[in-house]
Every structure is written in structure tokens, then in C-alpha cells.
């Protein structure tokens, strides 16, 4: 019985060290960028180089963002004065991951913010309606809508 106790202790120590090492590293793939947060606050500059990176285990968390172009399209918006619906669309690229994280946290939250902004689209002015019809019912949305 005495011989098995050191074996269990050694196994426990090895498992604990493996868990610490696993949480201390993360891999960033091509087409990704990341920031490290510590207790919800940004603790690093945006990381853009692919490969294995280090962080403080159990304290820092990695938040990943796509580095390429992202797109979003709204649900159709029906205006009483138009014969067809309009759809808002947007394409963007995250140039500053820290600023993006501070503004909207992640891409899913960004889409939610954009969807909420669609209620602010005016449909009453004749000039606006002519503009919308000329665009085929699709409006490009400015990037300032996120902030």
C-alpha cells in the first residue's frame, strides 16, 4: 500500500503540470488575430502572427477574431411607400482587434448591433426612396455604425 501512494502522487503532479502547460499556450492560425484579456480587461496588444503563443495560465484568456473580410446582411425591411423591401449589407475588416473588442466584443455582438440599427433606416423621404430603388434595395452601411 505504501508503494502505490507515491505513484498516485507522481501521477497527480504530472497531470497538474500538463493542465498548466496546456492552458499556458495557444495556437493562432493564419487568418486569425487575437487579444489577451485578464479578468475581462485587455492585457496585450493585438497578436497577428500565426503560430504558438504563451499566456499566463488560468488568468489570461484568448479572444480570437477573423483577420479577413467579414460581411453582414440585414433582414428585409419593408417600407409602406415602396413596392419592394430593402436590405442593408456591410463588409468590414477588423484592423484593430483591441478597439473592436472594446466596442462590440465579438462578431456575433457586432451583427446584433447592426441589426438593431436597421430600425433607424428612414423610408419616408421621396429622395431617399429614389436612392434606395436606384441601389436595387441594398444600402451599404458605414463602418461608424458599430461604434
Amino acid at each position: 500500500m505504501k508503494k502505490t501512494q507515491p505513484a498516485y502522487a507522481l501521477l497527480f503532479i504530472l497531470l497538474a503540470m500538463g493542465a498548466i502547460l496546456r492552458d499556458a499556450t495557444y495556437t493562432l492560425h493564419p487568418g486569425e488575430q487575437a487579444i489577451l484579456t485578464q479578468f475581462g480587461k485587455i492585457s496585450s496588444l493585438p497578436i497577428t502572427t500565426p503560430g504558438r503563443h504563451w499566456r499566463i495560465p488560468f488568468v489570461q484568456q484568448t479572444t480570437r477574431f477573423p483577420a479577413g473580410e467579414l460581411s453582414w446582411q440585414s433582414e428585409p425591411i419593408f417600407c409602406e411607400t415602396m413596392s419592394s423591401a430593402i436590405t442593408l449589407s456591410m463588409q468590414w475588416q477588423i484592423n484593430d482587434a483591441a478597439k473592436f473588442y472594446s466596442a462590440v466584443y465579438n462578431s456575433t455582438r457586432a451583427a446584433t448591433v447592426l441589426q438593431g440599427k436597421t430600425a433607424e433606416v428612414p423610408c419616408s423621404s421621396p429622395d431617399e426612396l429614389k436612392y434606395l430603388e436606384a441601389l436595387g434595395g441594398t444600402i451599404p452601411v458605414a463602418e461608424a455604425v458599430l461604434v
Side-chain angles (χ1 to χ4, degrees):
M1 191 149 217
K2 290 183 179 182
K3 289 183 180 182
T4 59
Q5 287 178 349
Y8 286 129
L10 180 61
L11 180 64
F12 176 76
I13 289 170
L14 289 175
L15 287 174
M17 288 176 58
I20 290 170
L21 282 176
R22 181 171 182 206
D23 196 59
T25 63
Y26 64 96
T27 303
L28 200 60
H29 301 288
E32 286 184 324
Q33 55 184 325
I35 57 167
L36 296 178
T37 56
Q38 191 166 323
F39 306 114
K41 296 187 179 188
I42 298 170
S43 63
S44 74
L45 295 173
I47 302 150
T48 57
T49 55
R52 187 159 300 277
H53 300 275
W54 293 91
R55 65 180 171 204
I56 301 170
F58 308 111
V59 175
Q60 291 182 326
Q61 301 298 318
T62 305
T63 304
R64 300 167 193 268
F65 302 102
E69 194 170 273
L70 302 169
S71 61
W72 168 85
Q73 189 167 358
S74 75
E75 297 293 323
I77 302 168
F78 297 96
C79 298
E80 295 175 10
T81 54
M82 282 183 67
S83 59
S84 61
I86 58 171
T87 303
L88 305 177
S89 64
M90 180 176 179
Q91 291 182 334
W92 75 90
Q93 184 171 356
I94 302 170
N95 292 327
D96 186 346
K99 191 173 184 180
F100 185 80
Y101 177 85
S102 297
V104 291
Y105 183 67
N106 61 28
S107 300
T108 305
R109 172 86 170 92
T112 303
V113 169
L114 288 170
Q115 191 63 39
K117 294 290 183 180
T118 60
E120 300 173 11
V121 175
C123 293
S124 57
S125 167
D127 292 333
E128 290 168 351
L129 294 176
K130 286 178 189 174
Y131 176 69
L132 293 176
E133 288 174 349
L135 289 173
T138 303
I139 306 171
V141 179
E143 67 180 79
V145 107
L146 286 175
V147 182

